[in-house]
Amino acid sequence: MIRIENISKSNSHRILYIEASAALNRGEKIGLVGPNGAGKTTLFRMITGQDAPDEGQVGVEKHVTIGYFNQDVGEMSGVSAVTEVMNGAGPVSTVAAELRGLEAAMVDPDRMDEMDQIIERYGEVQARYEELDGYGLESRAREVLAGLSFSEEMMDGDVGKLSGGWKMRVALARILLMRPDVMLLDEPSNHLDLESLIWLEQFLKTYDGALLMTSHDREFMNRIVNKIIEIDAGSLNTYAGDYGFYEQQRAQNEKQQQAQFERQQAMLAKEIKFIERFKARASHAAQVQSRVKKLDKIERVEPPRRRQSVTFEFQPAPRSGEDVASLKGVHKAYGSRTIYEGLDFSIRRKERWCIMGVNGAGKSTLLKLIAGSAEPDQGTVAIGASVKMGYFAQHAMDLLDGDQTVFEWLESEFPRAGQGALRTLAGCFGFSGDDVEKKCRVLSGGEKARLVMAAMLFDPPNFLVLDEPTNHLDLDTKEMLIKALSEYEGTMLFVSHDRHFLSELSNRVLEISSDGVHRYDGGYREYVERTGYEAPGLAA
C-alpha cells in the first residue's frame, strides 16, 4: 500500500535518511522506533505528502485513504466534541455536509426553480450516505468518545473549552471514526488514562486496515504491532515481530556482528603481521603481493554502532523511620463532589504503592494531600520521622528559571556537583550535546518534566511521590528510570498509566473505586491476577 524507496532527507543541516527503504502492506500493524530526533514525524509527513524526500520517493497506492494523528491538533471551538469528531470522519463527513446543504436548499424559496434538480441530487447523496452508514455515524462517534473516557456532558459541550489533553483525544477519535485504509498514529498513547489506553488497544487489534505508529508505551506497542521498522543512523531496518522480539533480535544481531568484526580483525592482524615480517625478503615477494591483493579485496565488517544507553548511578537515599505517612479520618470534597469520606491509609518504609482508579476518583488528590499541596477538610495527614519527600507533579515545572539554560539550572541546584556528573545526569534524561544550552523557557512541557525529574533523583529523597512520572519519557529514558528506581532503597507512592512501569516497581496497590478504597498486597501483576482486570474502570 505504501512504499518508501531509497529516500534521503536532511533537516536543518542534519541527515535523517540515507537511501532508506521500507514498505507498509495491507493488514500490517507496524511500530516505528528510533531515538528522539531520528525522523519519525518527518517520515509520517513524507507519507502524507506534507513533506518531500530530497531523493527517492514515497509511493501510495491509488484510492488508499490515510488518517494521520499527531500531537498538533489545531484549532477546535464553536461546536460540540461529538460534532467535531463527525466532521473529521473522512468521506462520510463530506457527504453529510452536502446533505445538510441540500436540506437547506429544499426549504429556500429563492431556489424553487431548481427544486427538481435539488431533490434528484438529494436522493443520490442520501443513498451514498446510507451506503457509508451515515445515519449510524453519531452513535459510532459517541461510542469512540466513550471509549476514550468522555462523559455525555463532555461529548455535547463546546470542544473549545476542553484542555489540550482532551482535545488530543478528540483528534484521535476523528481518525478512529474515519477508519481509513491506513492509520498513521504519532504517540496516540500520550494523554490517555489506563482505561482509555486498554480500550484503544482493543480497537486497534480489531482494526482491519494497515497501521504505522510510534509509542513510548512498551506494553501498548507489544500488544498491537506485528512488525517493527527501526530508524538507525539514516537507515530503515525491518524486524518481523513485536517490540520485545525486536529488542532480542537487535541484541543478537549486534552480538553476531561484533563476533564477525573481531574474527576479521584477528585475521587481518595475522595477515598484516606476515606482510610486515616478509615484505623485505625477495624469497617471499610473491606471497607478500598475493596477501596484499587479498586484503585489498576483503569487504570490511563494521563493528556494531554503539547506541547511547546512558546509565546513571543515583546516590542512596537516607533512611527514614518505619512509619512514612498516615492519613486518619480524612474527608475531602471539591464543591458538591465528595472525593474521600473518612479515609484511613498508612505507608511504611520500603513500600511501593501504586494508586489505581478511574479519572476523577481522587488519585492525584491523595498524592497532593500527602505532599502537603492540598489540605483535608477533616482528619489528619502526618509524615513520619526523618522523612525527606520528593514530590513530582506537572506543576513542578514552575520551579524552573526561564532565563537559565538547562545546565545553568542544574548547576544552581547542585553547586557542589562536578560538571561531568551533571552532564551525565542531563544525558540520562534526554539532554545531550547542545540541548544543555537551551534556555528553560523554550523547553517543551516534556523537556521541563524530564529536567525536574532529573534534579529530584540526583539528590534522592527517601520518599518519592510521583504523579505520572513517565509522561513525555521515550522508551530508553523510561527503561533507565525503571532500572534506577528498581534499585532505589526508599519508599514510593505513585500514579502511572504505564503498565510496564506499574509491573516493575509496585509492591502494593491501592484501588480507589465507587464502592470504597481497597488495598492489595503484592504489586500490579498480582493485582491483575487477583481481580481479573488491568484497571478499575474495566471491572465487570
Side-chain angles (χ1 to χ4, degrees):
M1 298 175 86
I2 295 173
R3 303 202 69 79
I4 297 155
E5 296 176 340
N6 296 315
I7 61 164
S8 296
K9 180 72 177 173
S10 297
N11 202 353
S12 303
H13 311 296
R14 183 175 185 182
I15 297 170
L16 296 176
Y17 296 102
I18 308 165
E19 296 183 351
S21 298
L24 176 61
N25 302 311
R26 290 185 189 282
E28 285 186 330
K29 293 183 169 67
I30 300 178
L32 180 65
V33 302
N36 280 346
K40 296 188 287 290
T41 299
T42 301
L43 189 65
F44 283 141
R45 290 177 59 83
M46 287 192 286
I47 291 171
T48 56
Q50 295 169 264
D51 213 337
D54 300 335
E55 293 175 21
Q57 62 179 14
V58 177
V60 179
E61 278 182 20
K62 279 185 178 179
H63 310 302
V64 165
T65 55
I66 296 177
Y68 174 36
F69 168 79
N70 63 11
Q71 302 297 304
D72 182 13
V73 298
E75 282 299 310
M76 292 183 188
S77 63
V79 295
S80 68
V82 73
T83 302
E84 181 71 37
V85 170
M86 289 163 64
N87 286 348
V92 69
S93 61
T94 307
V95 175
E98 187 178 356
L99 205 58
R100 286 195 297 273
L102 290 165
E103 285 167 354
M106 286 163 72
V107 294
D108 184 349
D110 294 336
R111 301 186 66 179
M112 289 302 292
D113 54 341
E114 302 173 58
M115 200 52 64
D116 288 346
Q117 298 97 305
I118 291 170
I119 290 170
E120 184 181 348
R121 179 60 185 158
Y122 184 80
E124 292 168 1
V125 174
Q126 190 178 41
R128 177 66 178 142
Y129 192 60
E130 284 177 358
E131 186 186 319
L132 293 168
D133 191 24
Y135 290 107
L137 188 65
E138 183 173 343
S139 65
R140 283 188 286 120
R142 289 182 181 276
E143 188 182 328
V144 170
L145 286 169
L148 296 175
S149 298
F150 279 75
S151 65
E152 287 288 334
E153 186 182 351
M154 291 169 73
M155 290 181 204
D156 294 319
D158 184 347
V159 70
K161 292 180 179 175
L162 296 175
S163 68
W166 285 100
K167 283 180 179 173
M168 288 273 189
R169 297 190 195 205
V170 170
L172 178 59
R174 277 197 308 233
I175 306 300
L176 301 181
L177 183 65
M178 180 183 172
R179 278 194 173 259
D181 300 319
V182 177
M183 274 192 212
L184 307 178
L185 303 181
D186 196 358
E187 295 297 341
S189 50
N190 279 3
H191 304 286
L192 296 185
D193 55 84
L194 193 46
E195 283 81 4
S196 300
L197 198 64
I198 292 166
W199 178 88
L200 178 60
E201 197 175 273
Q202 294 304 319
F203 184 98
L204 293 176
K205 277 183 186 176
T206 59
Y207 165 63
D208 54 9
L211 171 69
L212 180 66
M213 74 169 191
T214 63
S215 176
H216 291 161
D217 190 313
R218 176 197 186 95
E219 192 66 34
F220 179 71
M221 194 177 312
N222 260 342
R223 296 186 186 200
I224 295 166
V225 305
N226 50 30
K227 188 170 164 182
I228 294 285
I229 292 177
E230 173 199 50
I231 305 171
D232 183 25
S235 297
L236 290 170
N237 304 324
T238 302
Y239 296 79
D242 63 14
Y243 185 80
F245 174 80
Y246 149 74
E247 279 191 312
Q248 292 171 2
Q249 194 64 44
R250 187 184 71 183
Q252 189 177 325
N253 291 352
E254 287 182 352
K255 193 175 175 183
Q256 288 172 349
Q257 191 176 343
Q258 182 67 28
Q260 284 179 326
F261 172 73
E262 288 172 3
R263 281 197 299 272
Q264 189 180 69
Q265 289 300 302
M267 181 272 289
L268 292 173
K270 188 176 174 185
E271 294 293 322
I272 290 166
K273 188 176 178 183
F274 179 91
I275 292 165
E276 289 297 319
R277 185 177 173 189
F278 294 111
K279 66 182 178 183
R281 296 189 191 180
S283 59
H284 286 74
Q287 284 175 284
V288 167
Q289 280 303 311
S290 170
R291 294 195 182 202
V292 168
K293 286 177 183 175
K294 178 184 167 186
L295 288 188
D296 286 342
K297 288 177 183 175
I298 286 175
E299 190 175 334
R300 297 294 198 267
V301 175
E302 294 292 325
R305 277 187 289 269
R306 296 290 174 203
R307 285 172 176 76
Q308 285 188 321
S309 55
V310 188
T311 55
F312 195 85
E313 296 295 323
F314 292 101
Q315 299 172 37
R319 184 184 170 116
S320 71
E322 289 301 316
D323 295 316
V324 173
S326 70
L327 290 79
K328 289 183 180 171
V330 165
H331 289 250
K332 184 66 181 174
Y334 293 109
S336 61
R337 193 160 67 93
T338 300
I339 306 294
Y340 295 115
E341 205 164 5
L343 173 64
D344 294 322
F345 175 52
S346 61
I347 302 170
R348 293 180 62 76
R349 192 173 74 87
K350 287 199 171 185
E351 290 181 340
R352 295 160 171 251
W353 287 91
C354 71
I355 313 300
M356 307 293 295
V358 298
N359 265 346
K363 301 186 295 292
S364 294
T365 299
L366 179 61
L367 269 54
K368 287 175 184 173
L369 288 167
I370 288 173
S373 66
E375 295 290 327
D377 300 333
Q378 290 178 42
T380 59
V381 179
I383 302 301
S386 305
V387 170
K388 177 188 172 189
M389 189 191 302
Y391 175 42
F392 176 84
Q394 300 309 308
H395 67 70
M397 279 68 88
D398 299 341
L399 300 170
L400 298 172
D401 181 341
D403 292 328
Q404 290 182 316
T405 66
V406 167
F407 195 72
E408 285 168 349
W409 186 78
L410 286 173
E411 279 191 313
S412 68
E413 289 290 299
F414 306 107
R416 294 183 181 180
Q419 284 210 356
L422 291 181
R423 285 189 183 276
T424 304
L425 173 72
C428 276
F429 285 86
F431 297 101
S432 55
D434 295 340
D435 289 340
V436 294
E437 301 306 323
K438 282 183 179 177
K439 293 278 189 189
C440 289
R441 75 159 68 87
V442 304
L443 298 179
S444 68
E447 288 173 321
K448 288 177 180 176
R450 295 205 306 267
L451 182 55
V452 171
M453 175 78 71
M456 187 169 70
L457 292 177
F458 186 71
D459 180 21
N462 51 32
F463 181 32
L464 285 174
V465 179
L466 309 174
D467 196 355
E468 295 289 1
T470 59
N471 275 3
H472 310 294
L473 297 187
D474 63 27
L475 282 160
D476 290 338
T477 309
K478 205 180 283 188
E479 282 303 313
M480 181 279 299
L481 180 63
I482 288 172
K483 186 174 184 299
L485 291 179
S486 65
E487 295 165 6
Y488 169 71
E489 289 288 310
T491 307
M492 287 173 63
L493 175 72
F494 58 91
V495 172
S496 176
H497 63 244
D498 187 293
R499 285 162 290 179
H500 182 50
F501 189 89
L502 292 170
S503 298
E504 293 298 315
L505 296 175
S506 59
N507 60 23
R508 300 281 190 284
V509 176
L510 186 76
E511 181 191 84
I512 306 167
S513 64
S514 55
D515 62 344
V517 174
H518 307 281
R519 296 163 182 76
Y520 296 87
D521 286 339
Y524 177 71
R525 286 193 191 96
E526 290 81 3
Y527 164 79
V528 173
E529 284 173 16
R530 196 176 302 177
T531 62
Y533 51 79
E534 292 186 298
L538 304 174

